[in-house]
Amino acid sequence: MTLVTNSPVWRPYTQHALQPGAIKIVRAEGCWLEAEDGARFLDAISSWWVITHGHRRPEIVRAIKDQAELLDQIIFAGFTHEPAESLARRLVEITPRGLDYVFYSDSGSTCVEVAIKMALGFWRNRGEARTRIVALEHGYHGDTIGTMSAGARSPFNASYEALLFDVARIPFPDQGREQQCFDALEAACKAGGAAFVAEPLILGAGGMLIYSASTLREMKDICARHGVLFVADEVMTGFGRTGTLFACEQAGIVPDIACYAKGLTGGALPLAVTMCGKEIFDAHLSDDRARAFFHSSSYTANPIACAAALANLDIWEMGAREAVAKLCAMQAERLARFESDPRFVNVRRLGTITALDLATPRRGYLASIGLELLRFFNARGLLLRPLGQTIYVLPPYCIEAEELDLVYAAIDEAAAEFRG
Ligand SMILES: *Cc1c(COP(=O)(O)O)cnc(C)c1O
């Protein structure tokens, strides 16, 4: 494997002293990445959860090329363009009914940050002193100061602790212990919470932790009873990962604010939206300019990214659901053989995502086992990036049965090699 070293590039979530090199990719297609030296990697984690239908899906590539011929970035205050208008209308149609306004930004972190600001602006403009954010244990919402604050405290953000604001932390609803979660949420709501921020049905970076749709519904109900805004961070779960287009659909709930990013353009370009209901928009409506929503990114509603997202929505209309259903079934089938395998614990699946924990005493994200596993899989031509001892498979929807077999064969081999 040829690695790029001596590079001025500082890479994300990388300890350069332990991982000095990087694999240089020159081409991507479907589920495969091709390196400069000809090595190929099966992208079993959708390039960090962004690629939905597959790399370089032709319809999306075409839309990007066509749009680039017409419009590059234009200012989005006082001006607009058709890709942003069409995309907003279509998002309102396909997301849970009641999310009637679309605020554009450019990353998952940003759209959650925007959600938090919308919630606080809502309460301030209504003249109520609610400022406390309520969040789930093990949550992950991004890497900006606000989203790190809402997320779990961990080695990732220990250095920035001094800047992180305090939130009311609710225990994760482990199966059989949901009531503790509900009670804590109820108490935080009664104490004047402003908004409850949560990843619906599955916590991604927290370790692919799954909870039920009925638990999600109950959490939403508790918030509603106390007027606390429910913010669904669907950055990872959106666009099919959990088996439905959006995770909230499975619980039949409409969040007060919803955040979508990763799969919005099918993974081709950075784009994010924060969507909300009329009440929140209207709270910012006034002849007083000071009540406006003060947020902007330079690349708000980039027309090329919006065109990619429109092409993505076309693919959803054309049968992406069938591809998702097929992948769910293939994943379930392959996971079954590990269900009573003593080498693993917590063998689990939600929609297209599977996860299983190696039964090893070396636990936690920083345990060297994560890095060793990553190297083990890379050496076998697989892009899998375990979260510590948690191996998860989150592939593009175009993956074929034989390709998925390669992934599970390697997981089986890894279990033999790394057990104990
Ligand atoms: C990845 C992720 C984010 C952050 O998205 P970025 O685009 O990396 O900033 C936020 N929330 C969840 C649930 C995520 O999985």
Side-chain angles (χ1 to χ4, degrees):
M1 212 158 24
T2 327
L3 296 180
V4 172
T5 51
N6 286 328
S7 156
V9 175
W10 192 342
R11 286 184 296 281
Y13 277 79
T14 301
Q15 175 45 267
H16 281 247
L18 297 173
Q19 297 166 275
I23 301 161
K24 191 169 181 186
I25 299 299
V26 290
R27 201 180 138 80
E29 189 164 349
C31 297
W32 292 92
L33 308 180
E34 192 182 315
E36 200 171 35
D37 64 2
R40 296 174 81 228
F41 297 90
L42 179 59
D43 187 354
I45 60 160
S46 301
S47 278
W48 249 346
W49 321 347
V50 299
I51 301 294
T52 47
H53 315 293
H55 287 276
R56 285 184 45 251
R57 179 75 185 221
E59 300 93 316
I60 297 177
V61 172
R62 166 63 43 206
I64 290 171
K65 283 183 176 164
D66 289 349
Q67 189 57 48
E69 294 289 343
L70 292 172
L71 260 187
D72 51 9
Q73 182 67 34
I74 62 153
I75 182 171
F76 204 62
F79 293 82
T80 191
H81 48 78
E82 194 49 40
E85 295 296 329
S86 303
L87 179 58
R89 278 194 299 272
R90 289 180 65 182
L91 286 171
V92 168
E93 266 171 45
I94 62 168
T95 51
R97 190 172 300 274
L99 295 170
D100 290 334
Y101 290 88
V102 179
F103 191 93
Y104 285 106
S105 61
D106 45 24
S107 77
S109 302
T110 314
C111 71
V112 178
E113 197 86 35
V114 163
I116 292 172
K117 287 176 67 173
M118 272 182 187
L120 293 195
F122 170 82
W123 290 118
R124 184 164 198 269
N125 288 344
R126 300 242 304 207
E128 282 193 52
R130 295 204 197 194
T131 54
R132 194 113 194 269
I133 298 298
V134 184
L136 263 190
E137 181 190 17
H138 307 307
Y140 176 80
H141 302 289
D143 284 337
T144 53
I145 297 294
T147 56
M148 279 193 294
S149 299
R153 298 298 188 268
S154 72
F156 303 162
N157 50 48
S159 303
Y160 327 112
E161 183 69 44
L163 289 185
L164 303 186
F165 55 77
D166 183 39
V167 304
R169 191 82 54 197
I170 306 307
F172 180 80
D174 278 312
Q175 213 176 356
R177 295 198 315 178
E178 291 88 351
Q179 198 55 46
Q180 280 165 263
C181 164
F182 300 151
D183 292 345
L185 180 57
E186 182 106 39
C189 288
K190 274 188 185 149
F196 175 48
V197 184
E199 297 158 84
L201 300 187
I202 180 166
L203 276 53
M208 299 296 163
L209 306 174
I210 297 169
Y211 63 93
S212 71
S214 61
T215 297
L216 175 59
R217 197 175 322 119
E218 178 63 22
M219 294 193 303
K220 168 70 174 80
D221 285 350
I222 293 169
C223 290
R225 278 205 294 278
H226 298 279
V228 171
L229 298 175
F230 184 90
V231 178
D233 176 354
E234 290 235 26
V235 170
M236 182 193 81
T237 52
F239 298 95
R241 291 292 174 202
T242 67
T244 45
L245 189 52
F246 303 111
C248 285
E249 290 172 20
Q250 294 184 37
I253 60 163
V254 181
D256 298 294
I257 305 179
C259 309
Y260 307 106
K262 280 174 176 132
L264 178 53
T265 61
L269 287 173
L271 184 69
V273 291
T274 309
M275 296 181 60
C276 69
K278 188 171 176 347
E279 223 190 347
I280 293 171
F281 180 83
D282 284 353
H284 291 82
L285 210 52
S286 161
D287 24 9
D288 179 1
R289 292 191 71 191
R291 287 167 173 259
F293 183 53
F294 293 109
H295 193 96
S296 170
S297 308
S298 302
Y299 289 97
T300 300
N302 179 270
I304 302 167
C306 288
L310 284 166
N312 173 42
L313 296 193
D314 289 342
I315 294 168
W316 277 101
E317 277 180 8
M318 298 301 293
R321 281 178 179 80
E322 286 85 277
V324 165
K326 184 176 155 224
L327 177 55
C328 291
M330 290 198 301
Q331 286 276 67
E333 216 176 282
R334 278 155 191 78
L335 196 64
R337 72 186 236 221
F338 295 108
E339 258 148 27
S340 47
D341 187 330
R343 299 172 302 169
F344 295 99
V345 289
N346 293 336
V347 178
R348 55 204 185 273
R349 179 180 72 90
L350 178 68
T352 71
I353 306 169
T354 60
L356 54 184
D357 297 356
L358 266 182
T360 164
R362 300 158 72 198
R363 298 183 71 81
Y365 183 87
L366 293 188
S368 63
I369 186 139
L371 207 52
E372 289 167 33
L373 281 167
L374 179 148
R375 290 200 180 111
F376 177 89
F377 291 125
N378 277 181
R380 280 156 186 76
L382 288 175
L383 172 49
L384 278 176
R385 213 187 136 87
L387 295 154
Q389 75 288 348
T390 301
I391 301 172
Y392 68 91
V393 186
L394 192 154
Y397 309 149
C398 66
I399 196 166
E400 297 288 348
E402 308 77 58
E403 293 167 331
L404 210 49
D405 286 338
L406 298 175
V407 177
Y408 286 92
I411 291 174
D412 190 36
E413 250 189 273
E417 178 122 349
F418 289 92
R419 195 183 177 197

